[in-house]
Amino acid sequence: MEKLIITCAISGAEVTKEDNSFVPYTAKEMAIEAYLAAQAGASIIHLHVREDDGTPTQDVARFQQVIKEIRKLCPKVIIQPSTGGAVGMSNDERLQPVSLKPEMCTLDCGSVNFGGNEVFINSEDDIIYFANHIYQNNVLPELECFGKMHVDQVMRLYKKGLIQDHLHFSFVLGVPGGMTGEERDFHFLRESIPEGATYSVAGIGKYEFPLAKLAIEYGGHVRVGLEDNLYIEKGKLAQGNKDLVEKVAQMARAFGRDIATPDDARRILGIKVL
Ligand code: KMH
Ligand code: ZN
């Protein structure tokens, strides 16, 4: 079986230090969390940035500063800025880090309720607008799908040439308002993508590790991190992102699956090795 790509979503935009004191805000905190996650086996860092007080921002200068700090400690890791940002941000605000031409970024492939009164809006026109910017900058999008209808949306745009190979899906499951992350959901989604496509699972909260186990066993890839889940086990907070990555790496080793290095991940995803 192909080596396992572990992505670590170190910070997100919704969780705070009040939820788990290891959620990084400053550039230095982000770099340390990324470094420890990479040491534990993460080859991709999914990156949201914050102001020092924790406020989410998509400011390009802040991304530049954080990426510079991460690069000092982890020169090889793939950095994947979010173009999702936080609910309510404008498209152009969200797209800012793409101008830095990272190797990857996210492309959110449909709208979804995000709990309470929050709606994360990604209309078809929005997705096309994002995709155009992303491809113009030679960035590989990770196709974030919060349910099966988002996979269908990707395939509609793929057939029109508006989303291009290589197709790498991320099934983000368990958002309050999105699709759940039960085993049947996992199989439904992985069987819905075309031959040659790759996928990663990002289980929110209680779904994180059960989905990771399934993806390890069925040849998928895995995202973990404080953005998605704060707990190493029920009722016990993770002592940083590295705990979550280490747990998945151990699961993979127990199953007999090797962990991808950043260059392995580039090969698997078709990213040119620099
Ligand atoms: N913070 C969410 C509203 C992404 O990174 O592309 C969107 C999100 C998805 O986290
Ligand atoms: Zn994100």
Side-chain angles (χ1 to χ4, degrees):
M1 202 179 275
E2 187 52 275
K3 291 181 181 177
L4 177 75
I5 300 173
I6 304 176
T7 298
C8 188
I10 58 173
S11 171
E14 285 80 26
V15 293
T16 66
K17 283 190 191 292
E18 282 70 52
D19 300 315
N20 183 318
S21 61
F22 285 89
V23 173
Y25 292 169
T26 68
K28 286 221 156 35
E29 287 170 351
M30 298 247 176
I32 289 166
E33 281 300 301
Y35 171 73
L36 295 173
Q39 291 286 101
S43 48
I44 302 177
I45 300 298
H46 169 70
L47 188 65
H48 291 251
V49 298
R50 316 269 192 130
E51 305 291 355
D52 283 353
D53 67 1
T55 308
T57 174
Q58 289 291 102
D59 179 62
V60 71
R62 185 60 163 185
F63 265 102
Q64 234 167 348
Q65 183 195 8
V66 173
I67 290 170
K68 193 169 156 203
E69 288 299 321
I70 293 176
R71 280 275 166 255
K72 280 187 202 162
L73 299 183
C74 336
K76 294 291 281 179
V77 80
I78 298 170
I79 299 177
Q80 180 198 81
S82 167
T83 67
V87 169
M89 288 177 173
S90 73
N91 289 350
D92 288 332
E93 193 178 0
R94 286 167 52 182
L95 271 167
Q96 288 177 78
V98 176
S99 67
L100 299 173
K101 299 186 187 298
E103 291 176 283
M104 293 183 86
C105 70
T106 56
L107 171 57
D108 292 282
C109 296
S111 301
V112 62
N113 284 348
F114 234 76
N117 199 32
E118 305 267 271
V119 185
F120 182 39
I121 296 175
N122 299 284
S123 72
E124 182 164 288
D125 286 356
D126 294 335
I127 301 165
I128 294 168
Y129 183 70
F130 275 68
N132 283 340
H133 274 265
I134 289 169
Y135 291 122
Q136 275 162 15
N137 282 282
N138 286 317
V139 184
L140 175 72
E142 177 170 282
L143 306 163
E144 308 266 314
C145 296
F146 297 82
K148 167 66 162 55
M149 68 286 198
H150 295 173
V151 176
D152 300 333
Q153 173 75 72
V154 169
M155 294 319 297
R156 273 199 303 282
L157 297 180
Y158 179 70
K159 283 181 188 126
K160 291 181 180 169
L162 297 168
I163 287 181
Q164 301 161 16
D165 285 319
H166 170 72
L167 297 179
H168 179 60
F169 291 86
S170 172
F171 304 140
V172 185
L173 301 180
V175 167
M179 189 167 169
T180 55
E182 303 296 334
E183 182 164 356
R184 62 166 192 265
D185 304 317
F186 167 79
H187 291 301
F188 183 35
L189 290 173
R190 78 177 175 85
E191 287 166 3
S192 300
I193 63 172
E195 190 94 21
T198 50
Y199 69 91
S200 184
V201 293
I204 306 302
K206 67 176 184 178
Y207 292 118
E208 184 162 86
F209 294 115
L211 277 174
K213 183 169 183 290
L214 286 165
I216 289 167
E217 291 172 2
Y218 282 88
H221 303 282
V222 174
R223 175 176 118 177
V224 291
L226 294 174
E227 173 170 349
D228 301 335
N229 167 44
L230 302 161
Y231 297 91
I232 190 69
E233 60 188 59
K234 197 164 194 269
K236 191 173 167 202
L237 287 170
Q239 302 292 299
N241 284 281
K242 66 163 190 340
D243 278 12
L244 304 170
V245 175
E246 249 158 34
K247 184 160 169 172
V248 170
Q250 267 167 24
M251 287 162 67
R253 281 192 285 270
F255 181 73
R257 197 159 163 203
D258 291 336
I259 312 292
T261 64
D263 279 349
D264 291 327
R266 290 181 177 94
R267 173 184 53 75
I268 295 165
L269 299 175
I271 298 172
K272 272 199 212 90
V273 178
L274 304 172

